[in-house]
Amino acid sequence: MVFIDGTNLLTEMGKRCSLEFRPDLPPDEILICAAEIVRRIFHDDRVHPLRYYWFGSYKGSDKDRDRIADALRQRHMDATLFERRNNKEKGIDIGLTKDMLVQAFHRNCARSVLVAGDEDYVSLVNEVKRYGQKVEGAFFTNGFSPHLHRVLDGVHDLDPIAA
């Protein structure tokens, strides 16, 4: 299973491409591009993730939320979107952590992939590994925490895929 911190991914993509966009209300093209980057990691015939989970935020109406969720669904991703309030994002890290731990606890897969570069996820990776799963990471080199990189069982570099 693949767990994507969508806001983290979109923010880093924006930095790499010098784009001016809000990660909480991305244009469909940017969102689809980010989803495709993640999916291309697993294009190899040997790897078939059971599910892709996207965690992100949105600002705006229910229509904005639905537009983002629909764009992700077209890319075969289950979206968990949190409303951004007072220009603050809440819930993404906790939502991703909870879902990844639940899947590990129920032994629904032998391997998880975390698409994020934050050091905050080190504890999560260690806990999921305690359940016997392999945990790999995928992110851009510049945004990858060295500590997170060290605790992962494998790393997928997004730099060449996004180029």
Side-chain angles (χ1 to χ4, degrees), residues 5 8 93 97 114 117-125 145 148:
D5 182 330
N8 194 295
D93 292 0
T97 297
L114 174 65
D118 292 355
E119 190 169 316
D120 295 346
Y121 289 116
V122 168
S123 310
L124 169 63
V125 169
S145 155
L148 179 60

Side-chain angles (χ1 to χ4, degrees), residues 43-71:
H43 191 65
D44 185 327
D45 292 338
R46 297 172 293 137
V47 181
H48 297 286
L50 297 173
R51 292 215 177 271
Y52 292 90
Y53 296 100
W54 180 284
F55 297 83
S57 66
Y58 73 96
K59 186 172 183 175
S61 66
D62 290 347
K63 185 177 178 181
D64 293 318
R65 179 201 59 220
D66 293 345
R67 178 186 61 77
I68 294 169
D70 290 345

Side-chain angles (χ1 to χ4, degrees), residues 7 24 55-58 80-96:
T7 302
D24 58 332
F55 297 83
S57 66
Y58 73 96
T80 300
L81 301 171
F82 298 90
E83 186 175 9
R84 196 174 189 101
R85 295 178 189 257
N86 299 325
N87 213 21
K88 292 186 181 183
E89 184 177 86
K90 295 286 185 190
I92 292 174
D93 292 0
I94 295 295
L96 187 152

Side-chain angles (χ1 to χ4, degrees), residues 2-5 9 13 32-43 49 52-54 77 113 115 138 156 158 161:
V2 180
F3 299 86
I4 305 156
D5 182 330
L9 178 62
M13 279 181 61
I32 289 169
C33 180
E36 274 304 304
I37 285 171
V38 171
R39 287 174 48 82
R40 284 187 188 180
I41 296 170
F42 307 101
H43 191 65
Y52 292 90
Y53 296 100
W54 180 284
M77 296 198 177
V113 178
V115 180
H156 302 272
L158 296 183
I161 297 169

